[in-house]
Amino acid sequence: MRELVISLFKAYCPDTFLVQTIEESITAFAEAHANAEDAFVEKDVSGAYAYEEEAAALWEEIAAEYAGACQRQATDRRIFELFANDIVYISMMLTAQDPDAFIPYFFPCCYHVLTALADVFDIQLPPTPGRRDYVGRFRHYFELCRVLQAVRKEMMWSSEEFCAFLYDYGPKSAGGLNWLWQELPPPHAAYVIGASPEDPAFRKTDADVGEKEVFCWQGSPDTQPGDIILLYHWAPVSRFASVWRASAPGFVDPFFDQYRCVYIGHPISIPGPSFRTLREDALFCNHFLTKTRMLRMDGQEITPSEYARILMLIHQAGGDVSRLPVLENCFESSSSPEQIERERDVELCLLEPLLERLGWSREQYVRQMPLRMGRSFTVYPDYVILPEFTPGHERGQWVVEAKKSIPTAKQLETDCAQASSYALRLNAHGFMLVAQEGVWTATKEDDFENMAHYSWEDLREDDIFAKLYATAGNRRRRKNARR
């Protein structure tokens, strides 16, 4: 069994350390099961299974074991960490006791594969608990068992058949075996992470890491393939040590102790800058990174100008910055806004190139989408990003309207009212107006009331364009988005 599970896990998890960890857990379970078969007692589940009681009992058991070993009471966080670190072993033990109530959990640091599988097969997973809700994250495994066992029983599968679906057929059908990007797109953001200089994964130099080797680490769930990851080594090294690239979209994993996951590869070693250099630098002396003594580094994003400054400091330390990725977040149209003669020129010369720079491919938006407004008439939003065409339940992520000119506040109010009505009808995240004078955005989060404006001159600045990208860019790039 061990070889089969490891082969399946390797297919959707490229981190060799995680593969080794799950192999050790399965080996430990096999040894415990062989030596204590009489310890497993079948439970009566003729009625509704009491997952809450089972979760509470296990929580108390872990707390008691910790208190006995360490002579002090365990915090909620510590109890959860002990559970999460051994979730593969614990879930197998629970499943051995009652395969009709529990499932072995073979998705450590791969929760995104499970969510992709659930999306494809229309399985409604329980809500993901918040980062600091350690009790909720602990109980999340039991809620998963409740949901997945209900699916198994609905399909009339045996426990073995359901595991074959969950760890073989399901990930393959959901694209879970091909979620890493081998050819990385240009970066749109830069993030900072931290690690001990003694960590085995990050003691390697770029020469020691294979081209296809990747590691799972804590990072921002907003991270996208190709984005830049700056690795800082804590004391006693206390300096930036390497630059990596994100190999896949970041995600949240409730069973990962750090909660926020990112897979990174393609490292390039750099000679600093050190913490002392940053603390004495005019740009970084009052930066949140230095103010927190470089401790809050679990995927904090930095601006393009801040990344450019770090490149300069690397160069001053003797590093070869020509090997490092460049963060160019700006937009400059080939046509001047003054050359626009009609609304279609705005679409072709400004709007569509802007969407491309924001990461939206032509396959991801539709022009002039027919949209029924009530019973009496049909309207046609200029552009809808990620449209869904279910009659009566049309959806779209963004509405983009083109206008030749928006010269006055009154005209802006009229155009915003039109765009917001389309966005409300489509349950869109936001809308964007594009005209000779620039770009306006508003989001559903602010009830489409707080408008942000960017002139075309503004969007030539990396930091300003990065703000627009953070709002309206394709922050969840997928492989099929570039086909």
Side-chain angles (χ1 to χ4, degrees):
M1 180 191 73
R2 179 179 61 186
E3 290 74 16
L4 174 61
V5 174
I6 292 300
S7 67
L8 296 177
F9 184 63
K10 279 183 176 180
Y12 58 82
C13 181
D15 189 320
T16 54
F17 175 77
L18 289 175
V19 172
Q20 179 182 352
T21 299
I22 198 173
E23 186 171 10
E24 292 172 353
S25 296
I26 295 173
T27 300
F29 166 79
E31 294 174 351
H33 191 268
N35 297 331
E37 288 190 10
D38 57 343
F40 298 103
V41 179
E42 291 292 333
K43 299 184 179 180
D44 180 14
V45 290
S46 55
Y49 193 85
Y51 285 103
E52 293 81 1
E53 288 80 356
E54 190 72 30
L58 182 58
W59 179 274
E60 293 300 327
E61 181 181 341
I62 295 174
E65 289 181 359
Y66 180 86
C70 301
Q71 302 300 310
R72 64 177 183 273
Q73 187 175 0
T75 63
D76 287 355
R77 178 174 182 175
R78 186 56 183 154
I79 295 173
F80 167 74
E81 288 175 345
L82 291 170
F83 168 76
N85 290 338
D86 277 335
I87 189 171
V88 173
Y89 177 83
I90 293 173
S91 67
M92 293 182 71
M93 295 291 282
L94 291 172
T95 304
Q97 293 179 23
D98 193 345
D100 289 330
F102 295 99
I103 58 165
Y105 188 80
F106 297 137
F107 291 117
C109 293
C110 290
Y111 195 79
H112 61 304
V113 178
L114 176 59
T115 55
L117 181 157
D119 288 342
V120 170
F121 293 98
D122 197 24
I123 299 173
Q124 189 68 37
L125 298 180
T128 304
R131 182 174 187 174
R132 300 188 184 280
D133 183 7
Y134 299 110
V135 175
R137 291 168 66 183
F138 175 88
R139 291 178 177 271
H140 189 67
Y141 166 71
F142 296 86
E143 292 300 316
L144 277 178
C145 289
R146 186 200 305 273
V147 170
L148 295 177
Q149 284 289 351
V151 173
R152 179 185 71 81
K153 292 170 184 176
E154 181 182 354
M155 300 303 297
M156 295 185 291
W157 289 337
S158 67
S159 297
E160 293 79 8
E161 289 171 331
F162 187 67
C163 285
F165 161 76
L166 202 59
Y167 299 111
D168 187 11
Y169 179 78
K172 290 176 181 177
S173 300
L177 310 188
N178 190 33
W179 52 270
L180 290 177
W181 291 52
Q182 302 302 327
E183 296 181 8
L184 298 180
H188 281 274
Y191 299 89
V192 177
I193 62 174
S196 167
E198 299 303 317
D199 190 279
F202 299 117
R203 289 170 62 184
K204 298 181 178 182
T205 66
D206 45 321
D208 299 325
V209 179
E211 183 178 346
K212 295 185 178 181
E213 190 172 2
V214 298
F215 302 97
C216 177
W217 202 248
Q218 59 183 354
S220 171
D222 292 329
T223 305
Q224 291 302 299
D227 283 350
I228 299 165
I229 309 295
L230 283 160
L231 173 68
Y232 182 89
H233 274 168
W234 290 313
V237 176
S238 301
R239 68 173 179 87
F240 283 106
S242 52
V243 175
W244 299 63
R245 302 288 298 281
S247 299
F251 59 96
V252 165
D253 189 327
F255 301 121
F256 176 47
D257 56 354
Q258 300 298 327
Y259 195 70
R260 299 152 32 120
C261 287
V262 63
Y263 279 82
I264 59 176
H266 306 275
I268 300 176
S269 300
I270 56 174
S274 66
F275 176 72
R276 180 177 181 179
T277 300
L278 293 171
R279 190 173 55 185
E280 296 174 352
D281 183 75
L283 178 61
F284 285 101
C285 62
N286 293 316
H287 197 275
F288 76 93
L289 289 174
T290 51
K291 283 187 174 182
T292 57
R293 302 192 66 82
M294 309 299 285
L295 295 179
R296 289 183 54 196
M297 292 185 300
D298 56 352
Q300 277 66 40
E301 185 174 1
I302 58 176
T303 67
S305 61
E306 290 166 349
Y307 176 69
R309 181 61 182 170
I310 290 177
L311 289 181
M312 182 179 296
L313 295 175
I314 294 171
H315 175 70
Q316 292 175 355
D320 181 8
V321 296
S322 66
R323 303 174 59 211
L324 301 178
V326 178
L327 190 60
E328 293 182 348
N329 272 355
C330 64
F331 174 78
E332 188 165 359
S333 172
S334 58
S335 301
S336 170
E338 291 77 15
Q339 297 174 340
I340 299 298
E341 296 181 355
R342 54 197 176 104
E343 189 172 292
R344 183 59 177 153
D345 292 338
V346 172
E347 295 179 349
L348 294 175
C349 301
L350 298 176
L351 190 154
E352 291 186 4
L354 177 63
L355 291 181
E356 181 179 359
R357 191 68 187 90
L358 289 171
W360 300 110
S361 66
R362 292 184 181 275
E363 293 78 16
Q364 291 179 295
Y365 60 79
V366 63
R367 182 172 177 267
Q368 297 293 311
M369 176 180 178
L371 187 62
R372 294 277 296 182
M373 299 289 279
R375 297 181 180 180
S376 56
F377 63 97
T378 300
V379 295
Y380 298 87
D382 289 339
Y383 290 77
V384 176
I385 298 175
L386 299 183
E388 297 179 19
F389 294 94
T390 305
H393 300 279
E394 294 86 354
R395 294 289 185 269
Q397 183 162 322
W398 274 85
V399 172
V400 188
E401 284 291 298
K403 304 295 178 183
K404 180 181 182 299
S405 179
I406 305 179
T408 64
K410 184 176 181 179
Q411 184 64 49
L412 177 62
E413 182 179 353
T414 300
D415 295 336
C416 285
Q418 177 193 22
S420 63
S421 68
Y422 297 162
L424 287 169
R425 170 65 175 79
L426 289 167
N427 195 27
H429 176 70
F431 71 80
M432 179 162 41
L433 295 174
V434 180
Q436 285 176 298
E437 294 80 6
V439 178
W440 290 262
T441 62
T443 64
K444 182 181 180 181
E445 184 179 11
D446 294 326
D447 296 324
F448 303 113
E449 292 182 356
N450 297 327
M451 299 287 297
H453 175 247
Y454 307 89
S455 70
W456 298 110
E457 187 68 27
D458 290 339
L459 295 179
R460 295 178 183 177
E461 298 293 330
D462 288 343
D463 287 2
I464 295 178
F465 184 86
K467 292 180 180 180
L468 175 62
Y469 184 86
T471 302
N474 185 359
R475 300 285 285 188
R476 304 302 299 173
R477 296 194 294 273
R478 304 289 182 184
K479 284 192 173 182
N480 59 10
R482 55 178 183 167
R483 289 174 185 164

